[in-house]
Amino acid sequence: MATTQNEGEERLARLNANLQKVEDLSKRLTAALAHRKEADPALSGPSQDLYMQAATAYVAEMMQNPSKLIENQVSYWGKTLKHYVDAQHVLLKGEIKAPADPTPKDRRFSNPMWEEHPFFNYLKQQYMLNSEMISNTVQGLDNMEPADKKRIEYFTRQIVDMLSPTNFLGTNPDALEKAVATDGESLVAGLENLVRDIESNNGDLMVTLADKQAFKIGENIATTPGAVVYRNKMMELIQYSPTTGQVHETPLVMFPPWINKFYILDLKPQNSLIKWVVDQGFTLFVVSWVNPDASYADVGMDDYIRDGYLRAMAEARRICGTKQINAVGYCIAGTTLSLTLGHLAKAGDKTVKSATFFTTLTDFSDQGEVGVFLNNDFVDGIERQVAVDGILSKSFMSRTFSYLRSNDLIYQPAIKSYMMGEAPPAFDLLFWNGDGTNLPAKMSIEYLRGLCQDDGLARGVFPVFGEPVSLSDIKVPICAIACETDHIAAWKSSYNGIKQFGSKDKTFIMAQSGHIAGIVNPPTKQKYGHYTNDSPMTTPDEFLAGAEFHKVSWWPRWGEWLAAQSGKMVDARDLGGPENPVLAPAPGTYVGAIPPENSKTATESVT
């Protein structure tokens, strides 16, 4: 009995000590929040006009079709009342258990207590019923423009997801159980994680998704051997060391997106597309874009094309002694590759022999899920903010894309980190996801206004070096890979853009999975397959209806296509050349830092 009493006193002492730590951490939290930089309010949510439109549509629906709304409400009331009666009935029988639960399965509610404990099950069922009613109400708003209705559905879903009982300590059984089991230590660790994240982001809250100490670029991530063979203010050009005695004559130049770092294509040897390409006997060059600071405010799309695309192509040709190269563009880099190809076509320049596009939009008439952030309420705010900052901050970009998958990339990580006190996992993909880049102010607005909002490329009016370019001018052989569940570049939109290219030789592949996993899909994993259709391009629906499914990765299929565009075999090439000395080992210097003054000094002697 004495031992039990002593244990109880010790636990109480630990609990009180942890509560004192919470008080101390709260002071740090207050100090950290004081450093938060004021941002344009428009970056935090849609304008009030959108909610007014929804309210107006709801009133119109009440007046024009009251029976539909009444039916929805009566159904909700009926389910809610039945649930209450069922719960009371079980309790009156003296049984401490939950009533029957007809709500759909949801992995947020995986703890058995959500199914078995009457309190938690009641919360869960009511939340699910409330969510269903709100969703049905919004979907029933017929007196709205489709684009506005899509935005209302999206932002309503964000509010509903935010209010899930799993997101609050008092209604999260996992967090409560761990707090009790650890005498409050999990809450102290969670608050430490919260304070750390806010301090490291200058007062802003961004959940750390991966253990930042677990990876070091160039040591256990981005390790494919190679060297920087050219550097200017916009990029480093990396040439990768050959692994075969002979290589295809035509080199390949790969342009990753500059919204993130290039090493998504070189995470580790087992899933590195860069290593795989080299192993297939291709001379591979990859652009590593600079991470701009405010000194890059006036850098626009023309600068990326001139000092990035055209320069990388020229250096690769010089090093390899060839007249042509093959090119790859991923996401925004694919969009800009198409601008570059349009410019080259007008100039009669045959530098590019063939082009491959990964998850690329060139027709923005249907902007997909990300389109909810492309209205003037957001873009006007971005324009005002970048005019002050000189850049579009990587934190805004990261937060925007995370909210497209908020339960997976915001709420679940926050629960584990802040409520459970768990350390972030050592996960290479999430490490890369948190290693974002800024965008230059001028380039950001050109892209958002001219390409996303005005659809200038598909309409043939977006200028490159002052002259508009057109998709129909592009005649080189094309291979495009889009991803079935891509939430950034919808595959149907990608298809509609590729269809408008003037090329007679066009191959379209739809890979399973999303924007990243669909591309980083090595053949050895046998995880995701792909669809092909050899018929002429018509509509996305017809493509899918007549498509053949292949259970394997698309990489080998593309490798065969690329080999056919890459000429004869020649002896493997050394890195660099007389005019392209090796400047640094891969993955280079730009991948790890914001430019600043050091990198600019380093480039002046090279350019």
Side-chain angles (χ1 to χ4, degrees):
M1 182 67 179
T3 304
T4 303
Q5 184 176 351
N6 289 339
E7 288 178 353
E9 290 174 354
E10 289 174 2
R11 292 194 66 182
L12 181 60
R14 284 198 299 271
L15 179 60
N16 287 331
N18 284 327
L19 290 175
Q20 181 59 50
K21 291 179 183 177
V22 168
E23 185 175 340
D24 295 340
L25 284 166
S26 297
K27 294 176 182 176
R28 273 182 61 195
L29 177 62
T30 302
L33 289 170
H35 290 93
R36 186 175 185 273
K37 178 184 173 183
E38 289 296 321
D40 195 289
L43 302 185
S44 299
S47 70
Q48 294 300 313
D49 291 344
L50 183 65
Y51 299 111
M52 288 299 297
Q53 291 172 28
T56 302
Y58 185 80
V59 172
E61 203 69 42
M62 286 176 58
M63 301 296 290
Q64 297 171 18
N65 194 5
S67 61
K68 183 170 68 174
L69 293 177
I70 291 172
E71 182 181 353
N72 186 31
Q73 285 292 323
V74 169
S75 173
Y76 167 67
W77 292 339
K79 291 177 181 178
T80 299
L81 182 58
K82 183 179 185 303
H83 174 218
Y84 173 77
V85 170
D86 289 347
Q88 287 291 96
H89 181 68
V90 173
L91 289 175
L92 288 173
K93 289 168 61 178
E95 300 176 5
I96 307 301
K97 68 177 187 179
D101 187 348
T103 57
K105 295 294 181 184
D106 188 318
R107 59 191 177 131
R108 289 176 293 180
F109 303 102
S110 58
N111 188 305
M113 292 184 73
W114 289 113
E115 302 294 329
E116 300 165 2
H117 193 286
F119 170 72
F120 288 110
N121 181 261
Y122 190 84
L123 285 175
K124 175 213 168 186
Q125 287 206 46
Q126 272 308 126
Y127 171 74
M128 300 294 276
L129 292 173
N130 293 343
S131 302
E132 179 188 46
M133 185 275 292
I134 293 171
S135 176
N136 289 341
T137 300
V138 172
Q139 290 176 13
L141 297 178
D142 295 331
N143 293 282
M144 292 190 75
E145 291 293 325
D148 292 332
K149 184 177 177 181
K150 183 177 181 179
R151 298 188 85 212
I152 281 292
E153 289 175 343
Y154 171 81
F155 289 111
T156 299
R157 186 169 66 251
Q158 291 299 319
I159 295 171
V160 169
D161 288 345
M162 180 181 65
L163 295 176
S164 168
T166 54
N167 295 338
F168 301 90
L169 175 63
T171 52
N172 187 312
D174 292 298
L176 291 172
E177 286 176 335
K178 189 165 186 180
V180 171
T182 62
D183 300 317
E185 288 183 14
S186 61
L187 297 181
V188 174
L191 188 54
E192 287 177 338
N193 290 342
L194 175 63
V195 172
R196 175 207 64 209
D197 284 350
I198 293 176
E199 286 177 340
S200 62
N201 289 289
N202 299 315
D204 277 325
L205 176 57
M206 293 187 66
V207 187
T208 299
L209 297 177
D211 182 356
K212 294 180 179 180
Q213 307 306 315
F215 300 100
K216 189 159 185 182
I217 297 171
E219 292 188 8
N220 61 353
I221 196 170
T223 59
T224 301
V228 176
V229 292
Y230 178 80
R231 180 190 294 129
N232 64 19
K233 69 174 185 176
M234 295 304 299
M235 58 91 181
E236 290 183 326
L237 184 65
I238 301 170
Q239 181 184 359
Y240 284 91
S241 303
T243 58
T244 56
Q246 287 197 314
V247 295
H248 290 278
E249 182 179 30
T250 306
L252 180 65
V253 183
M254 192 174 287
F255 298 94
W258 53 88
I259 292 175
N260 291 98
K261 305 287 181 68
F262 82 91
Y263 64 87
I264 184 60
L265 300 173
D266 192 29
L267 290 175
K268 50 181 177 277
Q270 303 95 297
N271 62 359
S272 170
L273 179 59
I274 286 174
K275 181 181 184 303
W276 184 87
V277 168
V278 172
D279 289 345
Q280 306 313 302
F282 295 98
T283 301
L284 177 63
F285 295 84
V286 176
V287 167
S288 174
W289 299 103
V290 73
N291 184 5
D293 59 14
S295 67
Y296 283 69
D298 293 328
V299 167
M301 296 294 287
D302 282 350
D303 296 285
Y304 275 88
I305 293 172
R306 180 183 56 252
D307 298 326
Y309 287 75
L310 298 180
R311 177 48 54 196
M313 293 174 183
E315 298 302 322
R317 288 167 57 204
R318 175 161 56 190
I319 289 170
C320 295
T322 60
K323 293 182 178 180
Q324 290 184 301
I325 57 96
N326 291 315
V328 177
Y330 190 172
C331 190
I332 187 176
T335 307
T336 312
L337 176 58
S338 66
L339 293 171
T340 306
L341 293 176
H343 164 72
L344 292 175
K346 282 202 162 189
D349 189 318
K350 299 185 183 300
T351 291
V352 178
K353 190 174 182 181
S354 76
T356 299
F357 296 91
F358 297 164
T359 65
T360 294
L361 293 181
T362 52
D363 183 332
F364 289 83
S365 56
D366 181 357
Q367 299 160 344
E369 291 184 50
V370 77
V372 298
F373 295 106
L374 295 176
N375 283 56
N376 278 333
D377 49 1
F378 277 107
V379 178
D380 288 350
I382 290 172
E383 190 162 18
R384 291 190 294 266
Q385 191 67 49
V386 299
V388 175
D389 298 339
I391 54 170
L392 179 56
S393 169
K394 64 179 182 179
S395 62
F396 173 77
M397 299 295 295
S398 175
R399 187 167 60 245
T400 299
F401 287 122
S402 291
Y403 269 108
L404 293 174
R405 292 291 182 270
S406 57
N407 283 322
D408 294 332
L409 295 177
I410 296 178
Y411 300 126
Q412 287 302 311
I415 289 168
K416 290 179 179 179
S417 183
Y418 306 150
M419 288 191 204
M420 310 284 288
E422 296 178 5
F427 187 7
D428 56 358
L429 179 59
L430 290 180
F431 175 84
W432 167 84
N433 189 71
D435 189 17
T437 58
N438 304 315
L439 302 180
K442 181 179 179 181
M443 171 264 142
S444 302
I445 301 307
E446 287 178 337
Y447 178 75
L448 293 171
R449 296 288 192 200
L451 292 169
C452 297
Q453 287 191 325
D454 296 342
D455 199 17
L457 176 53
R459 296 194 301 113
V461 297
F462 191 88
V464 174
F465 306 130
E467 294 292 328
V469 297
S470 171
L471 295 175
S472 61
D473 291 335
I474 301 171
K475 302 293 200 311
V476 300
I478 298 294
C479 182
I481 295 89
C483 297
E484 187 175 18
T485 59
D486 195 328
H487 59 287
I488 295 173
W491 79 267
K492 290 185 178 182
S493 296
S494 179
Y495 183 97
N496 286 330
I498 297 297
K499 184 177 68 173
Q500 297 173 51
F501 281 53
S503 310
K504 292 182 180 178
D505 181 354
K506 286 186 279 192
T507 299
F508 187 86
I509 298 170
M510 187 181 77
Q512 288 185 307
S513 196
H515 195 71
I516 300 300
I519 297 299
V520 184
N521 180 30
T524 52
K525 284 201 171 183
Q526 298 183 345
K527 192 169 184 182
Y528 301 118
H530 64 280
Y531 296 84
T532 60
N533 187 333
D534 295 332
S535 301
M537 297 185 76
T538 52
T539 68
D541 291 337
E542 289 185 10
F543 166 86
L544 189 56
E548 180 182 357
F549 178 68
H550 311 271
K551 293 182 179 180
V552 296
S553 168
W554 56 268
W555 289 13
R557 181 178 299 277
W558 174 59
E560 292 176 6
W561 180 90
L562 186 61
Q565 316 295 329
S566 300
K568 64 184 181 181
M569 303 301 289
V570 298
D571 290 340
R573 294 151 170 137
D574 294 330
L575 300 182
E579 296 183 63
N580 292 85
V582 169
L583 304 177
T589 61
Y590 279 8
V591 73
I594 291 185
E597 301 72 13
N598 327 352
S599 70
K600 287 176 113 181
T601 303
T603 62
E604 286 170 357
S605 62
V606 180
T607 53

